[in-house]
Amino acid sequence: SAAMRLLPLLCVVVAACASSAAVIKRADRNDRPVIGILAQEVFKPTSKRSSYIAASYIKYLESAGARVVPVMVNRSEEEYQQLFNSINGILFPGGGASLTTSGYARAAEIFYKLALEANSRGDYFPVWGTCLGMEKLMLMTSGKNLLSQTNTTALSLSLHTDGMSSRLFQDFPADLMTSLATEPLTENSHKWSILVQSFNKTEELTKFYKVLSVNTDGSNEFISTVEAYDYPVYATQWHPEKNAFEWRQPHYPHSPAAIKTTFYMANFFINEAKKNLHSFTSEEEERKALIYNYDSSYTGGSFEQVYYFA
Ligand SMILES: *[C@@H]1O[C@H](CO)[C@@H](O)[C@H](O)[C@H]1NC(C)=O
Ligand SMILES: *[C@@H]1O[C@H](CO)[C@@H](O)[C@H](O)[C@H]1NC(C)=O
Ligand SMILES: *[C@@H]1O[C@H](CO)[C@@H](O)[C@H](O)[C@H]1NC(C)=O
């Protein structure tokens, strides 16, 4: 019948309308954000496992409505530039890679530079550093290694921050701010820290970052949360992703407020990424890049689950 013959044509028209509506919506806000997470070298590489990403970082971002692409180490600058133009934010995770000689360090340097340049020309591109990622950001911003050893390898701490005066915490519920200040909800597993005195002495850092929280290991005060004044650059020395997604150590907090902390941190960052309008050149390119192309492994130990890359 004529109706049957018209049907395919009708579908084409409807699809075209739907996709142009999506494009119009994308102009104000990108509700399909894709975030890059840096991979890093494993300690003992094998032919099938030379780098990894802990699955908790991926679940963390996914829990707030993002998709993730792994950023592999040791790729060309051109490849990183193209990926940068395709994604809406980047996360530098924690771990044990070298801050100067690893493929992780090199990728962080390239993406950080691209992000600062993009933001300076009005292309809003958020950057997040967690633990090692924060240490790398401090190194890149200051151009100096200012790290000191602290006794902070396995403990959870409370967080004292004035929520109203930061972008990061201003939309956190009041009860969660109270819990953060009174319960040990922030997990620390780092040997190195930026001491408050080192930070204060370094103009490159004091001009760039607002300190949102400090903590102490009992004798040394270190910087625990920062946001950049003029850029969407954020960092925590602590691990917001562990509370909801890692179970290995008895001090990992899992209380209702601890799980809320994980979610509100992720939610903040993903809302930042929704302000970025980069996209892949095609749906196929996007599909090929996503973490869904890889399987995670249950480690039975660190991180619970890890994505390994050849
Ligand atoms: C990446 O390059 C660095 C520096 O050359 C090297 O040490 C590292 O093993 C490489 N990583 C991988 C996974 O190939
Ligand atoms: C490190 O901190 C723990 C408590 O978190 C304490 O029991 C231990 O004595 C400290 N070690 C040093 C060397 O200060
Ligand atoms: C570091 O600077 C902050 C802000 O100016 C100040 O409140 C704090 O007392 C300083 N701390 C140290 C140890 O220098």
Side-chain angles (χ1 to χ4, degrees), residues 70-147:
V71 179
M72 302 302 179
V73 300
N74 295 358
R75 296 294 164 88
S76 69
E77 277 196 59
E78 294 68 38
E79 196 174 320
Y80 286 150
Q81 171 83 62
Q82 197 183 343
L83 187 55
F84 179 82
N85 293 337
S86 310
I87 60 179
N88 310 111
I90 193 142
L91 189 151
F92 303 157
S98 162
L99 287 175
T100 50
T101 59
S102 64
Y104 169 97
R106 175 174 166 270
E109 286 154 21
I110 293 169
F111 277 89
Y112 181 64
K113 184 166 172 277
L114 290 170
L116 291 190
E117 287 166 2
N119 283 298
S120 298
R121 54 167 197 269
D123 174 13
Y124 201 84
F125 188 92
V127 178
W128 190 284
T130 298
C131 200
L132 183 73
M134 167 163 169
E135 294 165 15
K136 183 61 184 166
L137 278 170
M138 293 290 158
L139 179 59
M140 292 189 291
T141 307
S142 68
K144 300 176 199 140
N145 184 345
L146 297 164
L147 296 169

Side-chain angles (χ1 to χ4, degrees), residues 221-237:
E221 238 190 349
F222 62 93
I223 308 286
S224 48
T225 313
V226 294
E227 69 183 17
Y229 287 106
D230 300 320
Y231 292 88
V233 176
Y234 305 90
T236 57
Q237 189 64 69

Side-chain angles (χ1 to χ4, degrees), residues 156 185-187 238-247 252-255 257-259 261-262:
S156 292
L185 300 181
T186 66
E187 199 282 333
W238 49 283
H239 286 269
E241 78 290 350
K242 284 195 198 291
N243 297 4
F245 300 113
E246 293 190 35
W247 302 88
Y252 292 173
H254 303 297
S255 67
I259 305 307
T261 302
T262 297

Side-chain angles (χ1 to χ4, degrees), residues 77 161 220:
E77 277 196 59
T161 180
N220 294 299

Side-chain angles (χ1 to χ4, degrees), residues 151 154-155 217 219:
N151 180 15
L155 79 169
D217 69 353
S219 35

